[in-house]
């Protein structure tokens, strides 16, 4: 090899080694019991699952890494910064087929699932959904999930890939007990389907060109089954970027064809896990295993709005009495957002007040491609959680200035009609 080629190869190898080291370090720093992060980063590559789009990712320059038991693209040929900006300005496709989609059916499907989540699922209109959380007996968050009320006897639920096994075990245990008491509800896991997210201001225009369905009538959190490009789809107008967009459930056998049809529009690019994390953080959205876990309640996480008004009458879900007390008496810590100076703060960064007392910890942090400044979120003690509060972040042994700010960091553009 010539020296320039050899040097480039060595540089690429070092970059890959640094990435794997960083992912491994992230797993090592996680407290025991935080399933998602451990599963996300500590997988044996020989055992990694592949989505129906794996070969498509590789052929298009996807840099594949272990994530939640799957081999997933962290980025493509463009940089994470450029890819983030492209999604904000145009449209991007994310393969999120590693997430677990499932359906609950039967006349008691809603009543059953409301024993496990905090949301007012019965109060949703048919064909609409909402973010909710699955709680444990202590009011902690087992997982965050999007729950769609397809009909009065059918729910479509998507849970995080890193929580799949514990979620299915948890749901299955309570389902068996519910069925034993005569409850009429069944569970189906959609391992035969992939999930693509089309996100960005041009997303609706791109998908509309492929279907006769009037997408102006499909507002944020709405769900509908229809065909696009001759492919049968389950479409929810939602996403994890803060932009307008769709999460599209597609049979695995048609996943590549759908991606190719979407990519035929020159405003669309493939987007990996790296930009997806930047986008969700800019939008102030939580990542399970970082910002949420079983020791954190929805009230502490700033997700009190997910506890439906009707559900506050009885609090008849797991951990309900704990959450009732927290709503009445308050909590000792809260999730907040930060701007900071110096190097970006990462997960587990210590937060101090101006007197040097530890008052919290960062759970997610990065340099914002859109704002061109450091952003982060984390938990601080009550009394330190007001916007404008000045604090210090301990990054690489240095005390960096930080200020609490309201989230989202970047304005959201959800389509409300």
């Amino acid at each position: 090899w010539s020296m320039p080629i050899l040097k480039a190869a060595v540089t690429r190898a070092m970059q890959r080694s640094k990435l794997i080291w960083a992912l491994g370090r992230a797993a090592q720093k996680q407290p025991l019991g935080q399933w998602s992060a451990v599963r996300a980063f500590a997988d044996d590559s020989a055992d990694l699952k592949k989505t129906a789009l794996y070969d498509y990712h590789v052929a298009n320059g996807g840099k594949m890494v272990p994530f939640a038991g799957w081999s997933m693209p962290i980025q493509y040929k463009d940089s994470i910064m450029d890819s983030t900006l492209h999604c904000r300005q145009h449209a991007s496709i994310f393969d999120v087929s590693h997430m677990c989609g499932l359906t609950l059916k039967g006349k008691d499907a809603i009543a059953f699932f409301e024993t496990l989540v905090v949301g007012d699922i019965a109060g949703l209109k048919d064909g609409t959904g909402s973010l909710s959380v699955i709680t444990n007996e202590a009011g902690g968050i087992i997982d965050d999930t999007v729950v769609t009320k397809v009909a009065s006897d059918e729910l479509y639920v998507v849970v995080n890939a890193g929580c799949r096994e514990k979620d299915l075990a948890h749901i299955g245990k309570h389902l068996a007990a519910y069925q034993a008491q005569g409850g009429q509800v069944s569970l189906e896991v959609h391992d035969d389907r992939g999930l693509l997210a089309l996100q960005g201001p041009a997303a609706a225009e791109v998908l509309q060109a492929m279907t006769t369905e009037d997408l102006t009538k499909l507002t944020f959190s709405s769900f509908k089954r229809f065909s696009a490009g001759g492919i049968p789809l389950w479409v929810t107008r939602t996403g994890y970027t803060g932009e307008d967009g769709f999460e599209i459930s597609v049979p695995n056998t048609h996943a590549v064809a759908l991606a190719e049809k979407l990519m035929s529009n020159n405003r669309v690019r493939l987007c990996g896990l790296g930009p997806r994390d930047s986008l969700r953080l800019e939008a102030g959205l939580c990542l399970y295993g970082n910002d949420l876990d079983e020791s954190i309640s929805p009230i502490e996480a700033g997700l009190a709005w997910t506890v439906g008004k009707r559900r506050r009458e009885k609090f008849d879900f797991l951990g309900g009495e704990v959450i009732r007390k927290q709503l009445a008496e308050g909590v000792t810590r809260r999730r907040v957002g930060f701007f900071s100076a110096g190097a970006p703060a990462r997960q587990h960064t210590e937060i101090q007040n101006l007197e040097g007392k530890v008052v919290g910890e960062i759970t997610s942090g990065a340099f914002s491609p859109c704002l061109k400044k450091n952003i982060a979120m984390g938990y601080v003690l009550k009394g330190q959680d007001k916007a404008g509060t000045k604090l210090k972040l301990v990054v690489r042994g240095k005390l960096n200035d930080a200020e609490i700010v309201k989230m989202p960091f970047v304005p959201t553009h959800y389509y409300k009609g």
Side-chain angles (χ1 to χ4, degrees):
W1 289 0
S2 68
M3 284 303 294
I5 293 175
L6 180 60
K7 184 177 180 180
V10 171
T11 299
R12 287 194 297 271
M14 290 177 66
Q15 289 173 339
R16 285 194 295 270
S17 295
K18 287 179 180 178
L19 172 63
I20 298 302
W21 178 87
L23 296 179
R25 288 291 294 166
Q28 292 169 13
K29 291 179 180 179
Q30 284 285 25
L32 292 175
Q34 292 190 0
W35 280 56
S36 67
V38 173
R39 290 192 57 77
F41 301 126
D43 295 291
D44 184 336
S45 59
D47 298 326
L48 294 179
K49 291 177 281 189
K50 298 177 180 178
T51 74
L53 288 166
Y54 175 85
D55 291 336
Y56 186 76
H57 296 312
V58 173
N60 283 276
K63 299 178 182 179
M64 312 303 288
V65 299
F67 186 82
W70 296 78
S71 181
M72 300 297 293
I74 194 167
Q75 67 181 102
Y76 293 85
K77 296 176 182 179
D78 51 354
S79 69
I80 288 177
M81 182 171 290
D82 287 344
S83 189
T84 300
L85 294 174
H86 180 87
C87 184
R88 293 271 183 243
Q89 297 163 0
H90 303 286
S92 299
I93 300 173
F94 304 78
D95 180 8
V96 289
S97 304
H98 59 308
M99 300 185 73
C100 179
L102 53 94
T103 290
L104 291 158
K105 281 187 177 181
K107 73 178 186 66
D108 298 319
I110 292 174
F112 163 69
F113 207 56
E114 282 194 347
T115 67
L116 305 182
V117 299
V118 303
D120 180 4
I121 311 305
L124 293 171
K125 294 181 179 178
D126 289 2
T128 66
S130 178
L131 176 72
S132 193
V133 294
I134 302 171
T135 48
N136 59 27
E137 288 82 354
I141 299 172
I142 292 175
D143 200 4
D144 59 322
T145 177
V146 174
V147 184
T148 299
K149 181 184 175 184
V150 180
S152 61
D153 61 351
E154 181 180 355
L155 298 179
Y156 172 54
V157 180
V158 178
V159 299
N160 284 303
C163 297
R164 174 190 168 108
E165 282 80 3
K166 71 166 182 174
D167 286 357
L168 292 179
H170 177 75
I171 293 169
K173 179 182 75 171
H174 289 278
L175 178 60
Y178 196 85
Q179 291 171 330
Q181 295 175 356
Q184 296 184 29
V185 54
S186 63
L187 171 67
E188 178 184 3
V189 180
H190 298 298
D191 286 337
D192 59 336
R193 303 185 70 87
L195 190 64
L196 275 67
L198 175 65
Q199 300 284 293
E205 173 191 327
V206 170
L207 187 58
Q208 187 64 80
M210 294 171 53
T211 183
T212 58
E213 189 72 32
D214 184 0
L215 298 182
T216 64
K217 296 179 180 178
L218 193 72
T219 54
F220 180 64
S221 291
S222 294
F223 170 93
K224 195 162 188 180
R225 294 184 173 108
F226 58 85
S227 292
I231 302 171
L233 308 173
W234 302 353
V235 180
T236 308
R237 197 155 195 165
T238 188
Y240 195 45
T241 64
E243 297 298 326
D244 182 25
F246 309 86
E247 290 193 350
I248 306 170
S249 176
V250 56
N252 284 330
T253 51
H254 295 292
V256 172
L258 176 61
E260 290 175 339
K261 288 177 184 292
L262 293 170
M263 284 291 289
S264 67
N265 188 304
N266 60 15
R267 295 191 68 183
V268 180
R269 286 186 192 174
L270 291 168
C271 199
L273 295 173
R276 188 168 183 254
D277 193 55
S278 297
L279 290 158
R280 71 91 191 169
L281 182 55
E282 289 182 337
L285 301 174
C286 295
L287 173 64
Y288 194 88
N290 282 48
D291 314 301
L292 306 174
D293 64 37
E294 293 198 38
S295 72
I296 297 170
S297 78
I299 314 307
E300 294 170 322
L303 299 175
W305 62 269
T306 63
V307 185
K309 182 179 179 181
R310 179 179 63 83
R311 306 307 307 281
R312 298 186 188 205
E313 295 172 6
K314 296 183 178 179
F315 290 90
D316 51 350
F317 49 83
L318 290 177
E321 288 306 313
V322 175
I323 291 174
R324 183 203 298 269
K325 184 176 181 181
Q326 289 183 344
L327 285 169
E329 301 177 4
V331 292
T332 59
R333 60 177 177 173
R334 285 192 179 276
R335 180 175 64 93
V336 296
F338 298 88
F339 287 151
S340 68
R346 305 297 183 184
Q347 187 184 20
H348 302 302
T349 293
E350 187 177 277
I351 305 169
Q352 296 182 2
N353 64 14
L354 300 185
E355 288 72 45
K357 178 184 176 182
V358 177
V359 296
E361 185 177 284
I362 296 297
T363 53
S364 288
F367 179 79
S368 165
C370 292
L371 300 178
K372 304 297 188 291
K373 63 173 66 175
N374 299 332
I375 59 174
M377 66 172 74
Y379 287 82
V380 295
L381 296 176
K382 182 179 180 180
Q384 303 287 333
D385 57 343
K386 303 299 182 185
T389 300
K390 308 289 186 181
L391 295 167
K392 297 285 186 179
L393 305 183
V394 184
V395 181
R396 301 174 189 170
K398 295 183 179 180
L399 287 173
N400 292 341
D401 292 336
E403 180 179 345
I404 293 180
V405 296
K406 293 183 178 180
M407 295 184 285
F409 301 103
V410 172
T412 57
H413 299 102
Y414 303 125
Y415 176 71
K416 302 295 180 66

